[in-house]
Amino acid sequence: MKERVVVFGDAIIAIILTIIVLELPIQTAANGVVDIVSLFRAIGIYFISFCFVANLWFQTGYAFNKIEQVKNKELVIYLLLLFFLSLVPSATRLLIEDTTKQTLLIYGVLTLIVTAVMRRLITALTKQVLKDERQRKRRIAELNKQDALSVIFRVIVLIFGLFFIRPVLIIYLILPITAFLQNIVDREEDDLLASLDSQQQADYFQDRNQVWGNSMRRYSTLLRDSMKEGSEQDPDRWKQVMAAWEDHIEKEINERKERLASLNGNEKRRVEGEITRLEKQKQKLMLQKTLTEQNSGQQNGLRKQHLKQRNFRE
């Protein structure tokens, strides 16, 4: 059933993109000469809609790829999403033919509805994927926060569009591109964490900013790594993350040990408990590093064996 739903959605999205480009109004002057300015403006608005629809296809496709079956609730949300998405070609044509505050408002309201429904679908699919209760609550809370910020920002853009048309068109172009890049970063981070158990993943998300230094560094590093060919099979990437994580834990342990001398009573017992927790976390991390190195050695051995067999055949 999942395959049929995904194929159906892909077909609808392909038709939507085709309709948008086929309905591009190419205006000509009285002597038959094409109006270049109008043509490029139309292509620019089409590009905005193309990025918006393509980003939706990418995000929903990645979310569907992680589940085994589509439940009735998720199917209803997806069909509702495709309904509103099918209106994008008409809204795009209105915006191209007459770029006014009213047509921009129509386009903005429609993309706001589509974005809100899409994010609800992704949240529902993510809830189905995560089995660990603690991890599921953390991830759903994170997605709900992102959804709220996304809706609030788009409402502000709608109001801003009542006064400034061109700047809002640029914002509508930037939004799907940034969402697309964010989805790539999330996917890259998921690939990095695939080898960890649920407790280690929970520890990672608790100390994520400390591991990377800050959110911008995490974002830029994961985005840069995603562009490298074969980076998902590179064990050194996760080794570097674990090394930084281990350094952070070591600093936290040393800092608490220095504070112990000046503490007493309940506060001292609390800090001792934190030290014990951090030391256990460090031991798990060292075990994970050992397993990663062993897996890396096995993969290198298999690659060498494969090369020898290929050279022997040649």
Side-chain angles (χ1 to χ4, degrees), residues 36-302:
I36 299 298
V37 175
S38 298
L39 176 62
F40 278 102
R41 182 173 62 85
I43 293 175
I45 295 175
Y46 161 73
F47 185 65
I48 292 174
S49 293
F50 179 88
C51 291
F52 178 76
V53 177
N55 173 65
L56 181 143
W57 170 81
F58 179 80
Q59 292 199 48
T60 55
Y62 179 60
F64 274 120
N65 191 49
K66 295 191 292 185
I67 66 171
E68 296 180 358
Q69 62 178 353
V70 180
K71 297 181 179 179
N72 290 336
K73 175 185 175 182
E74 294 147 3
L75 178 59
V76 171
I77 297 175
Y78 191 46
L79 293 176
L80 186 65
L81 173 63
L82 292 176
F83 166 74
F84 285 113
L85 190 64
S86 65
L87 299 176
V88 169
S90 299
T92 303
R93 185 177 179 86
L94 281 176
L95 192 60
I96 291 174
E97 290 181 341
D98 191 14
T99 309
T100 63
K101 295 176 182 178
Q102 288 76 18
T103 55
L104 185 62
L105 180 64
I106 293 171
Y107 185 86
V109 170
L110 179 59
T111 54
L112 170 62
I113 294 173
V114 171
T115 301
V117 177
M118 178 193 69
R119 297 195 68 90
R120 286 296 87 196
L121 173 65
I122 292 175
T123 300
L125 294 175
T126 303
K127 189 181 295 185
Q128 180 181 336
V129 172
L130 300 176
K131 305 302 180 183
D132 182 73
E133 183 68 21
R134 181 181 175 187
Q135 187 180 1
R136 180 167 60 248
K137 286 183 178 180
R138 180 203 59 78
R139 182 57 178 161
I140 296 304
E142 188 177 71
L143 288 175
N144 288 335
K145 182 180 178 181
Q146 292 176 1
D147 294 352
L149 291 175
S150 177
V151 170
I152 291 172
F153 182 76
R154 282 189 171 271
V155 170
I156 294 173
V157 172
L158 278 177
I159 298 172
F160 189 67
L162 297 175
F163 304 96
F164 307 98
I165 296 177
R166 289 188 177 180
V168 169
L169 285 175
I170 296 174
I171 293 174
Y172 280 138
L173 174 61
I174 294 174
L175 282 176
I177 295 176
T178 54
F180 178 79
L181 295 176
Q182 180 62 55
N183 195 263
I184 290 177
V185 170
D186 292 341
R187 181 175 180 177
E188 192 71 14
E189 191 170 37
D190 289 343
D191 291 340
L192 277 174
L193 298 176
S195 61
L196 301 182
D197 59 33
S198 58
Q199 182 59 47
Q200 288 173 318
Q201 290 182 11
D203 292 338
Y204 167 81
F205 283 110
Q206 183 178 350
D207 298 334
R208 183 166 61 178
N209 287 336
Q210 288 80 3
V211 171
W212 293 99
N214 53 65
S215 297
M216 284 303 300
R217 183 182 176 189
R218 176 180 67 88
Y219 187 92
S220 60
T221 301
L222 290 171
L223 183 61
R224 184 177 64 251
D225 289 347
S226 68
M227 303 301 175
K228 296 178 181 178
E229 185 177 355
S231 60
E232 63 275 7
Q233 287 90 26
D234 184 6
D236 292 334
R237 297 171 63 248
W238 184 236
K239 287 181 183 179
Q240 294 169 4
V241 175
M242 287 193 292
W245 192 0
E246 187 177 356
D247 290 341
H248 167 69
I249 294 175
E250 188 66 35
K251 290 178 182 178
E252 292 288 323
I253 292 174
N254 292 335
E255 179 185 334
R256 283 165 173 74
K257 286 182 176 179
E258 291 175 0
R259 290 170 52 195
L260 276 179
S262 58
L263 299 176
N264 52 44
N266 293 333
E267 185 66 18
K268 184 175 182 179
R269 285 191 291 271
R270 185 184 66 81
V271 173
E272 287 175 344
E274 290 179 357
I275 293 174
T276 302
R277 179 185 62 83
L278 289 169
E279 287 178 342
K280 289 181 179 179
Q281 185 177 338
K282 182 180 177 181
Q283 291 174 358
K284 289 182 179 179
L285 192 60
M286 293 176 67
L287 177 61
Q288 181 63 37
K289 183 188 293 186
T290 302
L291 293 174
T292 302
E293 291 174 351
Q294 290 176 355
N295 292 335
S296 175
Q298 291 175 358
Q299 291 175 1
N300 290 333
L302 290 174

Side-chain angles (χ1 to χ4, degrees), residues 20-35:
I20 294 176
V21 72
L22 289 178
E23 289 192 350
L24 278 178
I26 301 177
Q27 299 177 3
T28 59
N31 58 359
V33 178
V34 176
D35 187 344

